[in-house]
Amino acid sequence: MISVQLTEARAYERLHGAAVSPEQRPLFHLSPTVGWLNDPNGFSFYQGEYHLFYQYHPYDTNWGPMHWGHCKSKDMLHWERLPAALAPDQPYDQNGCFSGSAAETPEGQHILMYTGVRKDGNREFQTQCIAVGDGINYEKLPANPVITKELVPPGGSFQDFRDPKIWWDGSQWLAVAGNRTEDGSGAVLLYASRDLKDWNFKGTIDRSRNQWGKMWECPDLFPLDGQMVLLVSPQELETSDLNFHKGYESLCLLGSWEPEKNRFIRRSVLPIDQGLDFYAPQTLLAPDGRRIMVAWMQDWDSAKCVPEGQNWFGQMTLPRELHIRNGRLIQQPVRELERWRGERTAYENVEVSGDMSLPGIFGRTLDLTLRLQAQDGPFTLKFAQDNSHFTAFTFQPDRSLLTLDRSHSGLPKGHALSRTIPVHSREGLLELRLILDRFSVEAFVNGGEQTLSATLYTPQEAAGISFQAQGKAVIQLEQYALA
Ligand code: FRU
């Protein structure tokens, strides 16, 4: 049975989504059909196609009662819009269907596991729920909510208990969820079930102890290249380390798994994306073995910057292939992006001193790789540039610092405008691959050892690219138009 709330949401998005012309959207980054988008949800491979759901408020470009938007794709870049999958239409989720995940059952059904939010006066309850479907329509289980406060360990919050990530381990269902513990900071809880209805609490696999932020949102746990990876998105991270970002930050915890104790043994904590807009990543395991991650390309800080006249807001990052190498998280845009590459323009051994631009190097939908081969002093690459706008990356070789600066991008003051991070450059060399897609830039540094993502609010006519070197620099460039 499709509820009144879901029927209305579907009718609304059909009508108003069709009114958005393709040019008003990113070319290959997912944006909502209409209204607001935040976290990626239910990123999964089901019956030959990738499905991606998202936190969705179709009726407004601000966050509101959460629905799940839905789309599918064969290559994770061309997305086909599908009708909204979930609406807050049950007593246990009447205040929102919060983030969650999806998986295929051994019988070939698609299941969604999400957080139901219910308010009772000024008390809020978050519980975990299941919906079963065929890739378009999903029925919420009569047994919902399937994980309730009785299954939260002592001291754990019933209000901050959310974002289940589910997977089938060959003999049972497992799921991790974020929780706030008695010390006020975050933890990740593990649950198991044989039938999706009856769940057991298996243990607290890791916790912040107020060292890595407060509430841990959107956990994800998976093996990768011989290690165990736990992704978490802490709120209120306090840090003075330039590698991390204060406030909402997503972290990659690297370690191993202790099966007898159901515990994650954490060895190191890494930033995931060091730009200005990245949160709540989620991964899937592709049929070819690739571990692929997608995240909300936004920070809550700039989430109020809806350009005038635009009736959608929020976009996903590119799906990224993940690896662990030398204790670092390596991220690369999915290789499917290479099929989008059009005209190539390349330059070798270009000497830059002062200000310059190069014929054919410009645009707002590009895959552009810059290799800095030698330099005397700071080097700047500007893009999305016209007489009054630009966004820039500046590399200072002596201190090995990279700055992303969008203070001239058109984004009003008062928002995160720039960020400087230490980079691991080898003898002052640097490789910077930029993916530009109308309203964003994603930078992959030195083969994806570090990444920086940022949304852009610059008119599309600002498509110039230029270079500045203090002293002299030698560069190599390779640009592909993406169309
Ligand atoms: C993360 C988050 C999740 C929650 C969702 C609500 O951005 O706060 O913890 O489920 O957004 O939209």
Side-chain angles (χ1 to χ4, degrees):
M1 254 282 285
I2 298 175
S3 67
V4 173
Q5 290 89 333
L6 188 57
T7 306
E8 277 174 4
R10 287 178 167 188
Y12 187 90
E13 62 178 3
R14 224 178 9 252
L15 186 65
H16 295 276
V20 188
S21 77
E23 293 73 43
Q24 293 171 298
R25 296 180 177 279
L27 185 62
F28 46 89
H29 285 79
L30 180 73
S31 57
T33 302
V34 62
W36 164 275
L37 164 154
N38 58 292
D39 313 353
N41 293 159
F43 190 29
S44 53
F45 190 79
Y46 176 65
Q47 295 192 350
E49 289 171 306
Y50 296 96
H51 285 252
L52 182 53
F53 302 79
Y54 49 89
Q55 286 288 277
Y56 186 32
H57 184 218
Y59 304 111
D60 197 346
T61 50
N62 284 303
W63 191 88
M66 280 291 115
H67 296 57
W68 277 33
H70 187 192
C71 54
K72 67 175 185 176
S73 171
K74 291 208 186 311
D75 65 0
M76 293 174 277
L77 297 165
H78 296 79
W79 292 103
E80 180 188 334
R81 294 183 183 282
L82 296 172
L86 299 177
D89 52 17
Q90 300 297 321
Y92 54 80
D93 65 14
Q94 62 195 15
N95 296 100
C97 299
F98 273 20
S99 283
S101 51
E104 180 167 357
T105 65
E107 298 77 37
Q109 286 180 307
H110 202 204
I111 52 153
L112 311 182
M113 187 171 194
Y114 69 98
T115 299
V117 179
R118 176 173 69 86
K119 285 200 173 122
D120 189 355
N122 47 18
R123 301 218 317 153
E124 184 174 305
F125 296 93
Q126 300 190 343
T127 52
Q128 316 317 321
C129 310
I130 300 273
V132 182
D134 58 2
I136 296 190
N137 294 313
Y138 296 84
E139 285 280 340
K140 295 175 181 174
L141 288 189
N144 278 343
V146 293
I147 305 183
T148 55
K149 60 181 175 26
E150 291 71 33
L151 292 179
V152 173
S157 162
F158 310 149
Q159 169 158 349
D160 282 315
F161 175 38
R162 57 181 175 271
D163 310 336
K165 174 79 197 282
I166 188 171
W167 70 100
W168 173 252
D169 83 345
S171 60
Q172 61 180 341
W173 293 102
L174 292 171
V176 283
N179 189 220
R180 192 188 288 267
T181 60
E182 64 280 10
D183 67 11
S185 71
V188 177
L189 311 181
L190 178 70
Y191 293 90
S193 171
R194 301 227 166 252
D195 60 3
L196 296 169
K197 293 178 205 137
D198 285 324
W199 288 82
N200 297 311
F201 172 64
K202 304 300 277 185
T204 297
I205 67 166
D206 195 7
R207 53 192 292 180
S208 167
R209 298 184 198 282
N210 278 306
Q211 285 171 353
W212 291 101
K214 298 290 180 184
M215 173 60 189
W216 280 5
E217 302 187 304
C218 303
D220 196 349
L221 178 73
F222 52 89
L224 183 65
D225 296 332
Q227 308 216 27
M228 207 63 180
V229 176
L230 178 59
L231 303 183
V232 289
S233 292
Q235 295 177 329
E236 301 167 71
L237 180 70
E238 286 299 330
T239 180
S240 53
D241 182 340
L242 278 187
N243 282 297
F244 297 96
H245 167 252
K246 244 173 89 121
Y248 290 91
E249 172 72 314
S250 296
L251 301 174
C252 170
L253 316 181
L254 280 189
S256 53
W257 185 247
E258 202 178 18
E260 304 75 40
K261 296 202 172 132
N262 281 321
R263 252 193 340 156
F264 174 75
I265 315 290
R266 189 198 317 153
R267 280 206 203 89
S268 60
V269 179
L270 308 171
I272 303 179
D273 188 286
Q274 299 177 292
L276 299 164
D277 289 302
F278 184 96
Y279 196 62
Q282 184 174 95
T283 70
L284 65 65
L285 182 63
D288 58 11
R290 286 181 295 167
R291 180 59 65 170
I292 300 172
M293 175 181 76
V294 66
W296 183 36
M297 187 159 45
Q298 196 70 53
D299 190 278
W300 283 104
D301 164 79
S302 52
K304 293 264 180 321
C305 304
V306 186
E308 229 182 278
Q310 190 177 291
N311 69 350
W312 63 270
F313 186 75
Q315 40 180 328
M316 297 298 173
T317 63
L318 274 177
R320 301 173 182 178
E321 297 178 16
L322 300 185
H323 280 289
I324 305 290
R325 211 177 300 138
N326 301 328
R328 307 181 64 85
L329 180 70
I330 310 294
Q331 304 171 53
Q332 297 280 7
V334 281
R335 60 196 67 169
E336 285 82 348
L337 185 67
E338 284 155 36
R339 291 195 223 132
W340 280 65
R341 285 174 166 177
E343 193 182 343
R344 175 176 186 268
T345 314
Y347 289 91
E348 300 273 338
N349 297 321
V350 180
E351 228 180 80
V352 186
S353 58
D355 239 304
M356 78 179 290
S357 52
L358 289 165
I361 302 288
F362 68 93
R364 287 290 290 273
T365 51
L366 293 179
D367 182 347
L368 174 77
T369 301
L370 164 85
R371 289 189 189 85
L372 260 171
Q373 295 169 313
Q375 61 188 133
D376 299 333
F379 178 90
T380 298
L381 161 68
K382 292 185 180 170
F383 57 96
Q385 185 176 15
D386 64 10
N387 291 336
S388 40
H389 302 97
F390 65 85
T391 295
F393 282 99
T394 297
F395 180 56
Q396 294 169 251
D398 52 339
R399 299 164 64 202
S400 216
L401 291 176
L402 182 66
T403 301
L404 164 59
D405 179 4
R406 63 172 172 184
S407 53
H408 297 90
S409 68
L411 183 64
K413 288 207 168 48
H415 298 288
L417 296 176
S418 80
R419 181 154 178 209
T420 297
I421 57 159
V423 292
H424 308 266
S425 82
R426 292 175 197 85
E427 294 152 17
L429 302 184
L430 187 82
E431 183 194 280
L432 205 54
R433 180 177 176 197
L434 302 189
I435 310 294
L436 297 181
D437 184 7
R438 292 187 181 144
F439 308 99
S440 67
V441 58
E442 284 173 271
F444 296 82
V445 184
N446 292 333
E449 280 188 358
Q450 289 172 282
T451 64
L452 300 95
S453 304
T455 48
L456 296 179
Y457 306 83
T458 315
Q460 295 304 308
E461 301 71 49
I465 294 181
S466 68
F467 314 96
Q468 280 83 41
Q470 272 179 37
K472 212 176 66 184
V474 180
I475 63 171
Q476 196 189 35
L477 274 176
E478 188 177 31
Q479 172 191 285
Y480 292 93
L482 298 172

